[in-house]
């Protein structure tokens, strides 16, 4: 199952920016699809096409995509998913808890990153969220996964060892830990 939503951030320029993402619910792996100031139906449809191309044969393993009723999710968006064998499931009106996985990622991204820094534009937000997604998918422990990241890019650090090395990520807002050599 997949879940999608728009993450909204206001930049220092007072321009509202939208980030559309898709989460693989089973593994909690997040795909940042795109960032724009004007999300419309054709743009959102192209982002889901890009995701399906990136997923390749793995797209057949997903049956549903949970989404809200935002106007950016058009009939062509649903048709692209249907052509890949994925059914778009709309949540009931005014019930964000029905898309809890996507809403939780929005909260996590806001509290860990975007609420703690000024975003200066679309390019800056793209860089910050791309780096955060790499951290979220490769190093950040997830309680629902027994403190394992979705797709570890490095062995999980054994923090009981004597020497631990800290590496700052996302401009020093977050830290990753590993054994010192």
């Amino acid at each position: 199952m997949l879940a999608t939503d728009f993450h909204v951030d206001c930049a220092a320029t007072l321009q509202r920016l939208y980030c559309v993402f898709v989460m693989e619910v089973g593994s909690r792996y997040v795909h940042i699809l795109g960032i724009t100031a004007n999300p419309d139906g054709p743009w959102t449809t192209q982002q889901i096409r890009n995701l399906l191309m990136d997923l390749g044969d793995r797209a057949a393993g997903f049956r549903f995509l949970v989404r809200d009723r935002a106007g950016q999710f058009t009939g062509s968006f649903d048709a692209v998913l249907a052509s890949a064998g994925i059914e778009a499931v709309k949540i009931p009106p005014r019930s964000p808890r029905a898309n809890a996985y996507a809403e939780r990622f929005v909260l996590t991204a806001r509290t860990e990153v975007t609420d703690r820094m000024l975003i200066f534009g679309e390019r800056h937000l793209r860089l910050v969220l791309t780096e955060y997604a790499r951290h979220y998918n490769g190093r950040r422990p997830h309680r629902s996964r027994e403190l394992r990241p979705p797709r570890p890019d490095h062995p999980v650090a054994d923090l009981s060892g004597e020497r631990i090395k800290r590496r700052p990520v996302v401009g020093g807002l977050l830290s990753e830990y590993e054994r010192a050599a």
Side-chain angles (χ1 to χ4, degrees), residues 68-88:
D68 59 16
R69 295 175 178 268
Q72 295 89 351
F73 298 120
T74 60
S76 60
F77 179 89
D78 293 345
V80 168
L81 288 169
S83 70
I86 301 172
E87 180 185 346

Side-chain angles (χ1 to χ4, degrees), residues 74-129:
T74 60
S76 60
F77 179 89
D78 293 345
V80 168
L81 288 169
S83 70
I86 301 172
E87 180 185 346
V89 178
K90 298 177 195 173
I91 64 172
R94 298 183 183 201
S95 56
R97 289 185 181 162
N99 197 0
Y101 295 103
E103 295 295 338
R104 179 61 192 175
F105 175 75
V106 170
L107 177 66
T108 301
R110 281 189 176 149
T111 57
E112 290 186 2
V113 182
T114 58
D115 283 353
R116 299 170 66 188
M117 65 186 336
L118 289 174
I119 303 297
F120 291 104
E122 189 175 320
R123 182 171 180 257
H124 184 225
L125 181 60
R126 182 176 290 112
L127 289 170
V128 167
L129 287 180

